[in-house]
Amino acid sequence: MDQASSVREEEPAVAEGPAGAAPAVARTREELAAARSRATGTLALVPTMGALHEGHLTLIRRARESADTVVVSIFVNPLQFGPHEDFDRYPRTFADDLAACAAAGADLVFAPAREVMYPAEPQVTIRSGPMGEVVEGAARPGHFDGMLTVVMKLLQLVRPDVAFFGEKDAQQLAMIRRMVADLDVPVRVEGVPTVREPDGLALSSRNRYLSAAERRTALALSEALRAGADAAEAGAEAVLRAARAVLDRVADADPPLELDYLVLVDPATFTEFGPARTGPGVLAVAGRVGATHLIDNMPLRVGSPKES
């Protein structure tokens, strides 16, 4: 992200106050450090790339319930975008995001430019290892290296007691938990369940790219997950068979769904289930509708009746 494409729509007034008032805005490391030094009690971080929707706001409200100070970061991280991905067109809506942060109760928004987060081209980064090379990592090589690198930098800069992440990005959440454990980062990582629109589509900043016809096709992702969950009692093969049947019906739709993957995996390691395995799992799916890449997942318990 060059400086011209960094998140800068207008410079909001920097103010502090209760929920509903504009949160303070820090754009530099020095401003963040000064604000951090004034914080008392527990501090929560909600990392985002902006273009906030109800899923993000749910994270902020959960953070508000659990901590004395809530920091929201807004940074479109170039390291986690591949060469042919949507970095340049990723939505940047800072003024609206700031208002949303105020309504949800954030105290501070950290909105750095690229040169603040990466003063020089990084030479030492976080490697995601084998866990970052499967499922979404196989479809987007290097994505999780970039994601973990920026999350580690944010954790070091903000130094929160707890950080909140959405369960919609289940592999991301699992990898952050593993990074924190493996590298002894002193933070508690909290996952928050996926927020969905009334028709079942998982909330995503990329949903705004979808035309009405593309959105109808995209609904097959959540429908496939529900079908798989309904078949969980019958075992892993039944889960995948039921989900794939839904996706097959939209493979030739207009517009079609181009499936990237449909997998049933261990929730902690993202290794795939064998046919005889039972217990907790995550059914994960990703596909492309038009030019938009969408992901979704659903936790389930294979070999057990579906929870009501």
Side-chain angles (χ1 to χ4, degrees):
M1 179 172 61
D2 58 29
Q3 187 170 0
S5 65
S6 63
V7 181
R8 289 186 186 276
E9 291 185 359
E10 58 188 64
E11 292 295 332
V14 176
E16 296 184 64
V25 177
R27 294 202 179 267
T28 68
R29 292 168 180 248
E30 293 76 16
E31 290 171 353
L32 175 63
R36 180 66 178 83
S37 69
R38 294 192 295 270
T40 58
T42 56
L43 188 145
L45 170 65
V46 180
T48 82
M49 293 205 301
L52 303 185
H53 51 66
E54 183 59 29
H56 297 110
L57 303 188
T58 298
L59 298 178
I60 298 170
R61 288 192 287 265
R62 284 285 298 272
R64 178 77 281 159
E65 293 170 357
S66 68
D68 300 297
T69 301
V70 176
V71 179
V72 177
S73 64
I74 297 177
F75 179 65
V76 186
N77 176 37
L79 296 191
Q80 65 194 70
F81 287 80
H84 304 295
E85 294 184 340
D86 59 353
F87 173 76
D88 287 332
R89 75 178 187 126
Y90 194 88
R92 294 162 171 84
T93 56
F94 185 72
D96 290 341
D97 292 344
L98 189 64
C101 286
D107 300 294
L108 174 67
V109 171
F110 179 44
R114 176 175 181 163
E115 60 269 22
V116 173
M117 285 301 292
Y118 303 110
E121 190 67 23
Q123 300 297 307
V124 178
T125 59
I126 300 293
R127 288 290 306 276
S128 57
M131 194 173 169
E133 298 170 357
V134 298
V135 191
E136 186 73 4
R140 303 176 67 188
H143 166 72
F144 287 117
D145 294 351
M147 179 277 294
L148 291 176
T149 296
V150 79
V151 169
M152 177 62 88
K153 288 172 72 70
L154 288 168
L155 293 176
Q156 296 292 343
L157 289 167
V158 179
R159 292 179 288 115
D161 300 289
V162 56
F164 288 83
F165 297 89
E167 291 179 359
K168 184 181 83 72
D169 298 298
Q171 189 172 6
Q172 169 180 282
L173 176 59
M175 297 192 65
I176 291 169
R177 283 176 166 151
R178 186 60 184 258
M179 177 183 74
V180 164
D182 286 352
L183 300 182
D184 299 307
V185 183
V187 65
R188 187 173 83 253
V189 175
E190 292 284 350
V192 177
T194 301
V195 178
R196 299 184 179 276
E197 301 202 34
D199 58 11
L201 188 67
L203 286 177
S204 169
S205 299
R206 291 186 169 94
N207 288 355
R208 67 187 68 198
Y209 300 152
L210 298 171
S211 68
E214 289 170 341
R215 184 188 175 86
R216 286 193 294 272
T217 296
L219 289 175
L221 295 173
S222 57
E223 291 168 0
L225 296 179
R226 289 197 299 272
D230 286 342
E233 185 175 1
E237 291 184 324
V239 168
L240 292 170
R241 186 166 53 248
R244 188 169 292 278
V246 174
L247 298 172
D248 286 345
R249 291 200 293 269
V250 292
D252 297 320
D254 184 19
L257 172 70
E258 298 178 17
L259 184 66
D260 288 331
Y261 58 79
L262 172 70
V263 291
L264 179 61
V265 295
D266 181 280
T269 66
F270 266 66
T271 54
E272 292 194 41
F273 264 51
R277 180 169 173 176
T278 61
V282 171
L283 182 60
V285 65
R288 188 170 298 275
V289 183
T292 305
H293 175 74
L294 298 170
I295 66 172
D296 201 351
N297 75 85
M298 185 170 290
L300 42 74
R301 182 171 289 275
V302 178
S304 300
K306 182 184 177 184
E307 295 180 3
S308 59

